[in-house]
Amino acid sequence: MKLLRELRPAAMAVAPLTAAALTLAAGVMLIVSAATPSVPRRFLLLVEMAPVLLIELSHFLSSVLGLVLILLAFGLRARLDAAWIATMVVLALSLPLTLLKGIVWEETAWLAALMLALAPFRAAFGRTARLSRMEITPGWMISAAALLAGAGILGVWSFQNADYGHRSWISVMVEDDAARAIRGWVGAALALMAFGLWRLFASAATPRVVNTGDAEFERVRAILAKAQAAEPSSNLALLGDKRFIFSQSGETFLMFGVRGRSWIALGAPVGRRDERLELLWSFREMADAHAARPGLYALGPEDLPEVVELGFSLQKIGEAAIVPLETFSVEGRKRGNLRRAWRKAGEEGATFEVLPPGGAYPVMDDLQRVSDEWLDHHAGGEKAFTMGAFKPAYVSEFPIAVVRQEGVIVAFATLWITGGRTAFSMDLMRYSDAAPKNIMDYLFIELIAWGKAQGYHAFEFGMAPLAGLEDRPFAPIMSRVGRLLFERGEEIYNFQGVRKYKDKYDPLWQPRYLAAPHKWAIPLLLADVGLLSSGGMAGLTKRPKRVDAPAAPEASRSAT
């Protein structure tokens, strides 16, 4: 008994994969059995004891249940408790069917043995997820289709080479045994096709999105106001498109987005530092329970020790520009161009002002006008998830820097601030067609001066995607591909232009990372981040309007 107790953890660890393989074999056995000829003597004996309709129905259902077992094998491998329950039910239903379709007692014995073998390992399937959340990959569907096709081919060969194989195949098709085999095989094929179509359009059940009308939204706002650990971009929690998990104390949250099977956390947990690791574990465990693919996006170097604790793989995705305010100055020869652009804008009548949170409401129409003109010149429309969008309720959450020309607002930026005043940043940066040249340089310099006066230590310029990746023989393949895109992909995105523009302010460049449980999941997560941020494929393909308006200044375009 002691030996059995010692071996139990190892048995529980291998149980899901072993159960999946055995269940797959059982499903294949049922489909092959239904597609091949019955044993004549057993079948004649069965006909004497059972109605033909019951035999026909048993034969058909046995084939369909075989396909169900093949699909459930994937859920067993993923340790879904619902898959274990469903497998036990399907096995129990299949036991009498194997007898009623042709007294195939060998199959009955095999299925009974499998049920007995699976019964003690209920605890090995700990993911509390419904079967509708079971992820059936395209590869698994193709494998199931190949097994089904193989069973059909085997059935054709068996009937052609049976005792009555000297007769033509056409005459055999009309006989009952062949007809039953064809009906069973077609039933399984139709079931697979129906399941494949359903999986094509179905998505995993996901936690609810928290927006401005929810009580949890007030919890998020309160945590942001006093968070020990928060980045300026943590304010994206107020956009109204995120899902949240909270720590037991309720003083820390992790925000994430969901697309298909991908659960992508945006940044590290926000709130108390001592609760960060536990909340990251909770996120991974919750994603695992939903059979989802977890990822952590836009992590900084300070987040890596906790991510390593999770056992995640890391991929650098770019670098963030951070300007220390204490040492920044527009004086000196190096900053001559910036200084001249700033002074020229001021001489042309530009004025700067920061409106407090809520101060946007009186000028909301003017801000909307500027935003609409800016969007007319930029592809993709409003963004989401990793970037803010012009929503009056969201815009009013933050201080807003506005630039006026002759009293009219021509540019603005919403400001992300932090409770500890460690750093601040911008979210939306938009200007109208009437804005003077280099208006963004004027706005940035004024913002840096404002931040320094407010006691902030740094100004974050945001991330330059794919910057800082290495193309070396032993570098990860993702880094090498990213470096190639950075150097040759200017037609896709202004990668080098963004990096060059921000370099004018001599920032400190800090790496940003994407983390995932497996390296192979990183490209999938990156694609889903892009689709979440762009609003799906429709957002990615949306082009700017063709209007006869003045072209935007090059410096400003690079800044955005």
Side-chain angles (χ1 to χ4, degrees), residues 475-493:
I477 185 65
M478 286 290 295
S479 295
R480 301 186 70 178
V481 172
R483 182 68 182 186
L484 180 64
L485 282 174
F486 182 81
E487 294 177 346
R488 306 289 177 86
E490 290 299 292
E491 293 183 0
I492 302 173
Y493 181 82

Side-chain angles (χ1 to χ4, degrees), residues 114-147:
L114 181 56
M115 280 190 69
L116 292 174
L118 289 180
F121 294 97
R122 171 69 179 82
F125 303 88
R127 284 182 169 178
T128 55
R130 296 193 300 270
L131 285 177
S132 60
R133 295 172 181 168
M134 185 173 67
E135 182 181 11
I136 302 294
T137 64
W140 192 264
M141 290 292 293
I142 292 171
S143 299
L147 290 171

Side-chain angles (χ1 to χ4, degrees), residues 356-361 364 391-400 414:
Y361 279 114
M364 191 63 69
K391 301 177 180 179
Y394 174 72
V395 169
S396 299
E397 293 278 355
F398 312 109
I400 298 183
T414 56

Side-chain angles (χ1 to χ4, degrees), residues 344-365:
K344 185 176 181 181
E347 292 169 356
E348 292 177 353
T351 61
F352 173 85
E353 179 186 7
V354 175
L355 305 176
Y361 279 114
V363 294
M364 191 63 69
D365 291 342

Side-chain angles (χ1 to χ4, degrees), residues 515-538:
H518 308 285
K519 275 284 187 182
W520 59 261
I522 289 176
L524 301 175
L525 291 168
L526 278 173
D528 284 331
V529 168
L531 291 170
L532 277 172
S533 301
S534 301
M537 292 302 299

Side-chain angles (χ1 to χ4, degrees), residues 494-511:
N494 191 21
F495 295 107
Q496 296 185 53
V498 170
R499 172 69 185 244
K500 183 177 180 181
Y501 181 84
K502 295 177 180 181
D503 263 336
K504 295 193 303 183
Y505 294 84
D506 291 333
L508 301 176
W509 290 98
Q510 284 194 353

